[in-house]
Amino acid sequence: MGNDAPPRWDRRMQQRLARGEAAALGELYDRFASLVHSLAHRVLDDEDAADRITREVFGYIWEHPDSYDPKQGSLRSWVAALTRHQAVQRLRQTEADSARDSGPDAPAPAETERKIREASTAARADYIVTSMPAPLRAALELAYFQRRDYRQTAADLGVTEDEARRRLRLGLQLLSTAHNHQSPPPVVSRSTRPAHSPSAPSPAPQPPHTPLGPRPHTPHAGPGMSPPPGTDHGRPW
């Protein structure tokens, strides 16, 4: 994917986090906070909820840096997967609470699952589009957001019609994976609230300005938390 950091940066960042370097978390936050917040908002359609998810995800990364394995894929993809799974979990809980309050007027379970599935797919599609190489993304934006046909797309991009068709085909193939992806179990507890985790106003909370407190050096989640997906972060999630 086009926006992934070099593997060497991923490995070095994981090692710094594992050593407990608060500066590394700040750097990671600067790089990925907007991504995390936008994906969470895409699922939940709520600024406050997206802020909470952002704090939870970076808090989880700080507490469990060894959950990421650079050999399995990019750090960016892994962070996005954590975000999506946690946001879907939050949406599921919100829908369950709403159904309980609505009583007999609550939507059918199948309708709730459809809503959750669509929100999850939309977030994954957004991530894929923003992560694909710039030439493919530009072709898709012209064809589907500006309603250009492939001839107009070719002219706007200054490429041949065959090249425009190729870019559109590859872009659509990548997007199609958004509909075929199965979400693994959630990875972050709803109650996760690290005392010194990043926080700030929308659209993306700001990183901490003071060192974070101590945390256990363990690759495993704490009580009430599931471990992160084993190999999912090797894909464009």
Side-chain angles (χ1 to χ4, degrees):
M1 287 298 176
N3 291 343
D4 281 356
R8 183 178 300 175
W9 184 91
D10 290 346
R11 290 193 295 271
R12 185 168 63 251
M13 176 58 66
Q14 192 275 335
Q15 292 165 357
R16 292 174 62 196
L17 290 169
R19 290 196 297 267
E21 293 185 23
L25 182 65
E27 184 178 335
L28 189 77
Y29 194 92
D30 288 342
R31 186 181 287 259
F32 295 137
S34 293
L35 170 69
V36 170
H37 190 277
S38 65
L39 291 176
H41 192 277
R42 191 72 164 94
V43 173
L44 297 165
D45 194 27
D46 182 282
E47 289 289 340
D48 290 339
D51 287 348
R52 289 194 295 272
I53 294 297
T54 302
R55 291 193 295 270
E56 290 173 0
V57 166
F58 284 97
Y60 179 86
I61 293 170
W62 175 250
E63 293 288 339
H64 307 283
D66 292 333
S67 295
Y68 168 63
D69 181 359
K71 296 178 182 178
Q72 297 296 327
S74 76
L75 185 57
R76 186 176 191 269
S77 292
W78 183 70
V79 170
L82 289 175
T83 303
R84 175 168 161 269
H85 304 330
Q86 178 65 355
V88 167
Q89 180 193 27
R90 178 62 55 81
L91 179 61
R92 191 179 300 280
Q93 183 62 54
T94 299
E95 291 296 319
D97 293 344
S98 177
R100 189 164 50 249
D101 293 341
S102 299
D105 296 327
E111 177 64 19
T112 298
E113 285 302 313
R114 182 192 63 79
K115 178 179 179 180
I116 293 170
R117 185 169 57 253
E118 287 180 354
S120 177
T121 297
R124 180 172 161 79
D126 281 359
Y127 175 80
I128 291 171
V129 170
T130 60
S131 301
M132 67 177 54
L136 303 188
R137 185 169 64 251
L140 283 178
E141 289 173 348
L142 286 170
Y144 293 97
F145 293 106
Q146 300 185 34
R147 303 296 184 182
R148 302 283 204 276
D149 62 27
Y150 74 90
R151 292 185 179 88
Q152 293 169 321
T153 298
D156 288 345
L157 295 177
V159 299
T160 65
E161 293 179 7
D162 284 345
E163 175 63 14
R165 280 194 292 263
R166 186 189 72 83
R167 293 183 186 183
L168 288 171
R169 183 170 60 251
L170 290 176
L172 288 173
Q173 287 174 350
L174 288 172
L175 270 180
S176 69
T177 66
H179 298 276
N180 300 326
H181 184 78
Q182 297 297 319
S183 297
V187 296
V188 186
S189 169
R190 292 184 67 211
S191 61
T192 301
R193 295 288 192 277
H196 303 286
S197 59
S199 61
S202 302
Q206 297 298 311
H209 297 290
T210 57
L212 299 187
R215 50 138 169 90
H217 292 268
T218 171
H220 301 294
M225 296 171 62
S226 300
T231 58
D232 263 12
H233 60 282
R235 311 169 189 166
W237 68 283

